[in-house]
């Protein structure tokens, strides 16, 4: 479940937050777990060892904020999810190659009409308090999610369920009105203990502070604002994890987190490109830490307001993409730690179409396209114009993300060569989103999205979502694209789905509603004490339960 | 005096209501609300969830109704429940965090007093000498250099490079397994850097105040008289002048109380100290209105009480001031 749950939690949120794309723990953490099916040639370093794993020791993991509660299903902050990921299981989860695999469900069958899924549950699972897990818990979780009194924001997928049937103690069936492709993975949501939560107000339940799950780690202690400690579950159905304790330390400041890493007080951290290239490139650091890099599950883009007459003509948008030095941005701002993007999917996954139309950096071509669209410097003031209106607009981004501000500055310089006058405006996050994005009051923006593993992109690209407070805020409207998105959404066969999304990317590449800039690398430093670390498309943290620390290198010893 | 205190306390009520009203309006004027905070740019956030949360947080009601509801609860000292998923009572959240903040700030304040006062007095005594100038430069460096920057430098040098002191946090991982003495030592050790830095940053104000106060006193006639009687300069300054020069300093103590919370925001974030400052910062970011209001009200109460204590203390140390009585002359 750990590999899956972050999909629901961080979804597309974090990428738009004020953090650098590959800079902080939150981003890299989610990337480690969600990842896209990145080919492994980008992955460096390996802590794999040949000796026999031993139990003991602790992994100290920093989080930027304290958790707000430990019932996964009703929290939405990444700190809470990061901790509760290790406490609960879902029916399914992603494996290291980001394919759906059984978790609490032993197996599942999809009906011929693709409208029902029957889950066969494991019979050897017990809750941390010793009670057996069974279908009642799954049924309770489903009802919990759709209850109007449950303070959850993740009810959308469960409201699509037409019928939930408990066939026996270890079999449940869910049916939908029409096939819904993200349905299977939506059952990766944490399953909650019916015997402890039934009839309780979840927000006031003791489980918020002292959760009881079925996962590899058992809750031990929560020191408010300081740390949360989990201990290995001796009874875990997939075998006891080797590392005795996971300690999540609250360190709200990224600079302090980095110093604690240098000091050896924490064991893992997502680095910024600057920290990766300059501040950790020394013998002392390399002696203590392994560094892992793989393509993160996020991308940065320039989005154009397609309701703005200036950006209505696709030739203008194509020209702007031609005049955007993507590789220069990656090299100069990310120190080369990323790769230019052409669409919303991660290269290396089956959903990514590598053959779409590309726009190499070419100012002359850009100028020609603009001229074709009717833009020329008719009054000789250095700024191109059309129908008496100069090509002048605001490029907005959010405060606190130096990478995006640098991108905006780079673009401003390069588009000036085309005779375009770009004014940069940097706004506080909440103002930026609530006043400008939600109301579609912008010309162009530099922003980012996280790439979720399921390819459904209905929320961001379907024309129905071109409305205030919706996610298609650039207002991309294309009939064929809408149809493809809907077909993809209701098709469970990956090969067929792939065809729809590949064609969809061709349309995007032609239309250029976004100038897709780059996909950054996730940059993770992990103490060399940890063995059995096997980088995979899912990142490195997908198999924490299998990590171990050789007895001689165990730094922390606790008596229970 | 008793009547005076009662009058002052009664006068605080409308003032406090005014402060809470303005605070309430201002935090609601800030863009974004708690539901937008969790829903913005989140495709998994369903539309039904948006309405559900708005109802739960009372955000579907106009601001003045929400304020009236808040005030009604506040009148019974109920600060409501936090908007975070744990929905804890605000007072419980604050009481979890307040002791750490008070403990660290009081420790800092006491040290500032014990260092700044003699420093100020000595500066006055050695006025315009190399010592005076050196002290001036030293305390103003502490005042002028941004605390967070200095903190990071010290953390890097003393923590990372030298490995002498812990960088952040308040306790070691194995704190629970230490002896009581060990636990005390552990906390003191962790508190060293934040306390030393807050003392360094706070020296300038008080030492300059003490210095100027001392210089004023040294110009008084009774000092001249003491000198004329042939008393040694040391006796004149440290026996006669110092006692009087430091009396007004007592009032500063009262005025320092409200700064305890405000000043903690940056410190507690940088040093990962689980205090009120950190709670306040996180609550503002997530637009957790009840907690923000709770912290602001406590800050306002402390400010008002601080002023009152300062006034009372002033009367206590200066016999010329009497409250509640009309001047006889």
């Amino acid at each position: 479940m750990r590999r899956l749950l972050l999909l629901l939690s961080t979804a597309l949120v974090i990428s738009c937050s004020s953090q650098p794309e590959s800079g902080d723990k939150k981003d890299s953490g989610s990337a480690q777990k969600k990842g896209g099916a990145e080919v492994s040639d980008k992955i460096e370093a390996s802590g794999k060892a040949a000796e026999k794993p031993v139990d003991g020791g602790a992994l100290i993991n920093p989080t930027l904020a304290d958790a707000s509660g430990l019932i996964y299903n009703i929290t939405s902050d990444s700190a809470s999810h990061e901790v509760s990921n290790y406490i609960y299981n879902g029916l399914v989860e992603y494996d290291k190659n980001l394919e759906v695999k059984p978790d609490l469900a032993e197996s599942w069958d999809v009906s011929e009409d693709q409208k029902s899924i029957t889950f066969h549950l494991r019979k050897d699972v017990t809750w941390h308090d010793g009670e057996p897990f069974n279908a009642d818990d799954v049924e309770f979780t489903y009802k919990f999610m759709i209850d109007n009194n449950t303070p959850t924001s993740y009810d959308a997928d469960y409201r699509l369920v037409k019928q939930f049937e408990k066939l026996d103690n270890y079999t449940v069936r869910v049916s939908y009105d029409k096939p819904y492709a993200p349905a299977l993975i939506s059952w990766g949501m944490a399953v909650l203990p019916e015997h402890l939560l039934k009839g309780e107000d979840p927000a006031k339940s003791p489980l918020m502070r002292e959760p009881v799950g079925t996962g590899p780690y058992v809750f031990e202690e929560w020191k408010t604002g300081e740390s949360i400690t989990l201990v290995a579950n001796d009874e875990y159905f997939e075998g006891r994890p080797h590392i005795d304790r996971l300690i999540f330390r609250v360190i709200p400041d990224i600079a302090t987190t980095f110093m604690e890493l240098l000091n050896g007080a924490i064991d893992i951290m997502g680095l910024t490109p600057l920290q990766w290239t300059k501040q950790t490139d020394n013998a002392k650091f390399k002696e203590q830490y392994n560094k892992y890099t793989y393509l993160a599950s996020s991308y940065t883009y320039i989005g154009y307001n397609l309701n703005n007459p200036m950006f209505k003509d696709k030739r203008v948008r194509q020209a702007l993409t031609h005049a955007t030095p993507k590789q220069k941005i990656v090299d100069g701002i990310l120190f080369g730690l990323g790769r230019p993007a052409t669409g919303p999917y991660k290269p290396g996954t089956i959903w990514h179409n590598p053959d779409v139309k590309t726009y190499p950096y070419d100012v002359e071509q850009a100028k020609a396209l603009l001229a074709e669209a009717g833009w020329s410097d008719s009054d000789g003031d250095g700024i191109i114009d059309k129908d008496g209106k100069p090509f002048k607009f605001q490029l907005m981004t959010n405060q606190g993300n130096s990478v995006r501000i640098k991108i905006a500055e780079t673009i401003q310089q390069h588009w000036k060569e085309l005779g375009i006058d770009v004014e940069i405006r940097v706004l506080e996050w909440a103002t930026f989103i609530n006043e400008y994005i939600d109301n579609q009051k912008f010309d162009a923006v530099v922003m980012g999205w996280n790439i979720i593993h399921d390819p459904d992109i209905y929320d961001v690209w379907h024309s129905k979502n071109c409305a205030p407070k919706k996610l298609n805020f650039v207002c991309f409207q294309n009939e064929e694209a809408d149809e493809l998105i809907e077909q993809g959404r209701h098709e469970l066969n990956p090969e067929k789905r792939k065809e729809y999304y590949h064609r969809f990317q061709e349309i995007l590449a032609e239309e250029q509603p976004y100038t897709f800039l780059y996909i950054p690398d996730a940059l993770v430093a992990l103490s060399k004490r940890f063995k059995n670390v096997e980088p995979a498309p899912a990142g490195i943290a997908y198999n924490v339960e299998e990590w171990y620390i050789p007895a001689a290198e165990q730094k922390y010893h606790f008596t229970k | 005096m008793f009547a005076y205190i009662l009058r002052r306390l009664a006068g605080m009520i409308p003032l406090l209501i005014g402060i809470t009203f303005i605070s309430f309006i201002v935090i609601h004027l800030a863009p974004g609300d708690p539901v937008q905070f969790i829903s913005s740019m989140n495709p998994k956030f369903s539309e039904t969830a948006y309405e559900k949360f708005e109802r739960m947080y009372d955000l579907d009601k106009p601001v003045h109704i929400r304020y009236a509801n808040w005030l009604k609860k506040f009148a019974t000292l109920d600060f409501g429940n936090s908007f975070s998923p744990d929905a804890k009572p605000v007072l419980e959240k604050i009481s979890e965090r307040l002791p750490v903040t008070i403990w660290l700030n009081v420790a800092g304040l006491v040290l500032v007093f014990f260092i700044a006062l003699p420093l100020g007095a000595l500066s006055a005594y050695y006025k315009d000498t190399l010592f005076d100038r050196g002290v001036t430069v030293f305390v103003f460096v502490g005042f002028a250099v941004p605390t967070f920057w200095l903190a990071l430098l010290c953390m890097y040098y003393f923590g990372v490079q030298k490995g002498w002191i812990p960088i952040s946090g308040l306790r070691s991982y194995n704190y629970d397994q230490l002896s009581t003495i060990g636990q005390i030592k552990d906390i003191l050790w962790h508190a060293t850097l934040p306390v030393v830095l807050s003392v360094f940053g706070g020296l300038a104000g008080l030492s300059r105040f003490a210095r100027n106060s001392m210089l004023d006193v040294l110009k008084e006639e009774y000092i001249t008289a003491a000198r004329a009687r042939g008393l040694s300069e040391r006796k004149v300054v440290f026996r006669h002048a110092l006692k009087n020069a430091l009396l007004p300093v007592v009032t500063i103590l009262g005025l320092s109380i409200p700064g305890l919370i405000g000043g903690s925001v940056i410190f507690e974030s940088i040093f990962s100290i689980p205090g009120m400052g950190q709670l306040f910062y996180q609550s503002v970011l997530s637009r957790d209105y009840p907690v923000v209001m709770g912290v602001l009200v406590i800050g306002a109460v402390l400010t008002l009480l601080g002023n009152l204590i300062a006034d009372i203390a002033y009367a206590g140390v200066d016999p010329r001031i009497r409250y509640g009585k009309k001047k006889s002359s």
Side-chain angles (χ1 to χ4, degrees), chain A residues 11-13 60 68 74-76 148-157 159 203 208-209 221 223-226 249-253 255-256 259-260 262-263 265 428 430-431 433-434 447 449 459 469-471 473 556-559, chain B residues 31-33 36 38 40-50 52-53 55-56 81 84-88 96-97 152 155-156 159-160 163 165 167-177 268-272 274 278 282 287:
Chain A
L12 307 187
V13 186
I60 319 285
S68 61
I74 61 173
T75 57
S76 53
N148 280 334
N149 293 318
T150 302
T152 181
S153 43
Y154 303 122
D155 53 346
D157 284 337
R159 290 191 188 275
M208 277 301 270
R209 293 286 299 187
E221 187 187 26
K223 289 178 184 158
T224 305
E226 265 183 274
R249 256 200 69 190
V250 182
I251 309 177
D253 187 80
T256 308
M259 274 192 273
E260 287 288 28
L262 295 179
N263 218 19
E428 184 266 335
T431 315
I433 298 301
N434 301 321
M447 285 179 80
W449 284 123
D459 298 288
K469 291 192 179 181
K470 298 276 189 172
L471 298 181
F473 49 82
Y556 308 102
H557 299 277
F558 300 89
T559 47
Chain B
D33 63 40
Q36 279 167 338
I38 47 177
S40 279
M41 316 306 286
N42 185 349
K44 287 289 172 193
F45 197 91
S46 65
E47 280 168 49
T48 50
Y50 199 94
K52 183 166 69 182
F53 279 103
R55 228 179 14 256
M56 276 180 192
N81 290 350
S84 78
D86 60 7
K88 263 193 189 173
E96 273 176 355
R97 305 277 194 140
L152 291 176
M155 286 156 93
Y156 186 70
V160 179
I165 40 176
I167 291 175
S168 69
L170 214 51
R171 294 186 268 195
S172 300
Y173 299 127
N174 60 348
Y175 176 84
D176 294 334
Q177 288 161 32
E268 290 182 0
S269 294
I270 292 178
F271 288 108
S272 313
Q278 210 187 80
Q282 282 168 7
R287 306 286 191 270

Side-chain angles (χ1 to χ4, degrees), chain B residues 23-34:
Chain B
S23 305
F24 199 89
I25 299 298
V26 167
I27 61 173
H28 282 78
L29 279 180
D33 63 40

Side-chain angles (χ1 to χ4, degrees), chain B:
Chain B
M1 178 64 102
F2 183 66
Y4 169 78
I5 294 175
L6 275 186
R7 216 172 37 243
R8 282 284 300 266
L9 285 175
M12 277 181 197
I13 294 171
L15 207 57
L16 198 58
I17 292 175
I19 292 170
T20 59
F21 177 71
I22 293 169
S23 305
F24 199 89
I25 299 298
V26 167
I27 61 173
H28 282 78
L29 279 180
D33 63 40
V35 189
Q36 279 167 338
F37 173 74
I38 47 177
S39 67
S40 279
M41 316 306 286
N42 185 349
K44 287 289 172 193
F45 197 91
S46 65
E47 280 168 49
T48 50
Y50 199 94
E51 284 163 22
K52 183 166 69 182
F53 279 103
E54 276 203 317
R55 228 179 14 256
M56 276 180 192
Y57 297 154
D58 266 0
L59 297 175
D60 50 347
K61 297 191 178 88
V63 178
H64 64 277
I65 304 278
R66 274 185 270 158
Y67 177 68
N69 290 342
W70 181 86
L71 200 60
K72 257 186 249 166
K73 278 189 178 175
F74 175 58
T76 59
L77 285 183
D78 177 3
F79 284 70
N81 290 350
S82 162
F83 284 170
S84 78
D86 60 7
K88 263 193 189 173
V90 171
L91 279 183
E92 195 183 320
K93 276 205 151 177
I94 290 177
S95 58
E96 273 176 355
R97 305 277 194 140
L98 198 58
V100 174
T101 301
I102 289 185
W103 178 78
L104 281 177
N105 281 284
V106 167
L109 211 60
V110 168
L111 282 174
V112 166
F113 265 77
F114 276 99
I115 297 170
L117 298 186
L119 216 55
L122 285 171
S123 278
Y125 180 63
Y126 294 111
K127 189 183 169 228
D128 292 337
T129 62
L130 194 64
F131 173 80
D132 181 29
R133 291 193 181 120
V135 168
T136 307
V137 170
F138 177 73
V139 297
F140 276 100
V141 164
F143 181 69
V145 173
T147 315
F148 71 91
W149 183 76
L150 196 62
L152 291 176
L153 275 188
C154 290
M155 286 156 93
Y156 186 70
Y157 185 73
F158 297 113
V160 179
Q161 293 281 16
K162 295 287 176 193
W164 289 343
I165 40 176
I167 291 175
S168 69
L170 214 51
R171 294 186 268 195
S172 300
Y173 299 127
N174 60 348
Y175 176 84
D176 294 334
Q177 288 161 32
L178 298 173
S179 63
T180 313
I181 300 283
Q183 290 185 339
I184 294 170
K185 270 191 194 164
D186 190 55
I187 287 191
L188 289 178
W189 200 224
H190 278 81
T192 306
L193 202 52
V195 170
V196 165
L197 283 169
S198 76
V199 168
F200 185 47
L203 281 180
L206 201 64
S207 70
R208 291 299 90 180
F209 187 83
R211 180 181 181 273
N212 291 342
S213 176
M214 188 76 169
L215 286 175
D216 285 345
V217 172
L218 285 175
K219 284 180 203 152
E220 296 282 335
E221 283 177 7
Y222 71 91
I223 296 292
T224 316
R227 281 183 177 138
R229 274 190 281 137
L231 288 180
S232 72
E233 188 65 12
R234 189 177 293 267
K235 265 190 183 167
V236 170
V237 173
F238 291 103
R239 284 235 182 113
H240 296 268
L242 186 62
K243 205 165 63 184
N244 288 321
L246 296 189
L247 289 180
V249 172
V250 174
T251 58
I252 293 197
L253 182 67
L255 298 175
S256 304
I257 294 172
L260 296 184
I261 296 172
S264 302
V265 173
I266 297 173
F267 250 73
E268 290 182 0
S269 294
I270 292 178
F271 288 108
S272 313
I273 294 167
M276 280 276 280
Q278 210 187 80
L279 175 71
F280 184 63
Y281 181 63
Q282 282 168 7
S283 306
V284 169
L285 284 188
S286 59
R287 306 286 191 270
D288 191 346
Y289 297 149
V291 176
V292 175
M293 277 307 288
V295 177
L296 286 177
V297 166
I298 287 177
V301 170
L302 286 179
T303 308
L304 295 173
L305 286 179
N307 282 332
L308 180 64
I309 292 168
D311 287 347
I312 295 168
Y314 203 65
V317 297
D318 191 339
R320 289 168 297 181
I321 294 171
R322 286 285 175 270
Y323 295 115
K325 283 181 188 168
K326 289 196 175 165
K327 282 183 184 173
S328 53
S329 58

Side-chain angles (χ1 to χ4, degrees), chain A residues 96-108:
Chain A
K96 65 180 190 176
N97 294 315
L98 294 166
E99 280 162 22
V100 183
K101 69 162 190 166
D103 195 4
L104 286 176
E106 219 162 36
S107 63
W108 61 85

Side-chain angles (χ1 to χ4, degrees), chain A residues 317-330:
Chain A
R317 304 190 299 264
Q318 289 172 341
L320 293 175
T321 304
H322 261 309
T324 303
K326 295 184 190 180
Q327 192 60 50
K328 193 177 162 186
I329 288 172
V330 169

